[in-house]
Amino acid sequence: MTRRLILSVITLCTVIACTTDAYESGDGTYSYMRADFAESYTNSQTQFFAADTDDNRHVEFQQAMAREWATTPDSVYRTLVYYSAQPDANSKCRLFSVVPVNVLRYKPVEEVKEMHTDPLYWNSIWTSSNGKYLNLGLTIMTGYTQEGEIVLQNLGLVCDEVRTLADEKREFVMRLYHAQNESPQYYSSDVYASIPLNDFHAGDVLTITANTYDGEQTRQYTVTP
């Protein structure tokens, strides 16, 4: 019903847009680092070896990288990839990190046994440049328990109603599902979620409401061809 939020040790505070500028002067290790939302590919050893970015670039990595949250070989994951924008002689790029992005496919409300709308911060909403995803920039509050552990939180998308509009278009009235799971709220952590737009038709309207620390917020998006 929900997607597990896996908190990354990398700081995502600079990644509201699809890319970041280099932050070192000169030609240091991270001078040409950029961050892109992408569909990343695992090989037979569940290591990431390539990615297709949201701006339709195919990137191959110099060295494949494993991540404990990626457990399916020969598969595709929605991710945020940090890599060098300057390829080597073989046109391959150095990979610094791969961060999971939650993929939210809506569930009808009647299939949800217990609805949770614990508050969070809703920072942004934008469409991938390739038109494949509607992306959400969120901030959750988290912290370590007395045992020194991070409690995983849950994020999902619940559809309360599908309304019929003119010209056979539809409006999906949805709520963001968020279960804090009694996680401590000591500090903030930026997370991202992507809604696949191939689940909808051109002209459909997505109305999404979230419970935030600033009260209920509703955003609306019309699917384009």
Side-chain angles (χ1 to χ4, degrees):
M1 177 183 70
T2 59
R3 302 271 177 179
R4 290 164 72 88
L5 286 179
I6 305 177
L7 302 179
S8 169
V9 296
I10 210 163
T11 300
L12 306 181
C13 60
T14 59
V15 194
I16 293 302
C18 291
T19 63
T20 60
D21 295 328
Y23 59 84
E24 279 189 2
S25 60
D27 290 327
T29 302
Y30 301 103
S31 295
Y32 300 97
M33 188 181 79
R34 63 179 286 156
D36 280 299
F37 290 91
E39 293 177 339
S40 296
Y41 302 93
T42 58
N43 57 23
S44 58
Q45 286 79 44
T46 66
Q47 300 169 324
F48 289 102
F49 70 94
D52 289 327
T53 68
D54 281 4
D55 56 357
N56 293 316
R57 290 179 301 105
H58 181 73
V59 182
E60 294 190 6
F61 303 125
Q62 295 173 5
Q63 187 172 3
M65 178 180 292
R67 282 290 179 260
E68 62 179 12
W69 48 266
T71 58
T72 305
D74 301 315
S75 187
V76 183
Y77 285 83
R78 180 66 173 159
T79 63
L80 178 59
V81 289
Y82 290 79
Y83 64 99
S84 173
Q86 190 173 47
D88 64 12
N90 296 315
S91 298
K92 294 187 177 182
C93 297
R94 180 178 177 181
L95 179 62
F96 297 113
S97 184
V98 186
V99 178
V101 173
N102 299 273
V103 177
L104 305 183
R105 285 187 163 87
Y106 72 87
K107 286 286 188 180
V109 65
E110 57 269 19
E111 296 183 13
V112 180
K113 294 182 179 180
E114 185 176 356
M115 184 68 189
H116 290 272
T117 56
D118 295 326
L120 42 66
Y121 292 103
W122 190 350
N123 306 317
S124 57
I125 181 170
W126 75 97
T127 310
S128 302
S129 56
N130 58 13
K132 296 181 69 172
Y133 295 97
L134 182 65
N135 302 300
L136 311 179
L138 310 168
T139 298
I140 60 172
M141 301 302 295
T142 186
Y144 289 95
T145 64
Q146 292 183 349
E147 292 75 25
E149 299 177 346
I150 287 285
V151 177
L152 296 181
Q153 302 181 32
N154 298 95
L155 189 68
L157 192 63
V158 176
C159 184
D160 290 319
E161 182 183 5
V162 180
R163 299 171 180 167
T164 302
L165 306 176
D167 301 325
E168 299 183 351
K169 308 304 181 187
R170 302 168 297 174
E171 179 184 7
F172 291 78
V173 182
M174 299 184 286
R175 288 179 290 163
L176 203 59
Y177 177 107
H178 175 227
Q180 185 78 21
N181 295 332
E182 299 184 356
S183 171
Q185 302 182 48
Y186 299 145
Y187 58 88
S188 60
S189 178
D190 292 341
V191 294
Y192 298 92
S194 293
I195 301 171
L197 292 177
N198 60 5
D199 291 344
F200 306 94
H201 301 148
D204 286 346
V205 177
L206 311 186
T207 302
I208 305 171
T209 298
N211 181 32
T212 78
Y213 289 100
D214 300 316
E216 273 199 353
Q217 294 184 6
T218 299
R219 314 281 178 97
Q220 199 168 68
Y221 170 76
T222 300
V223 180
T224 57

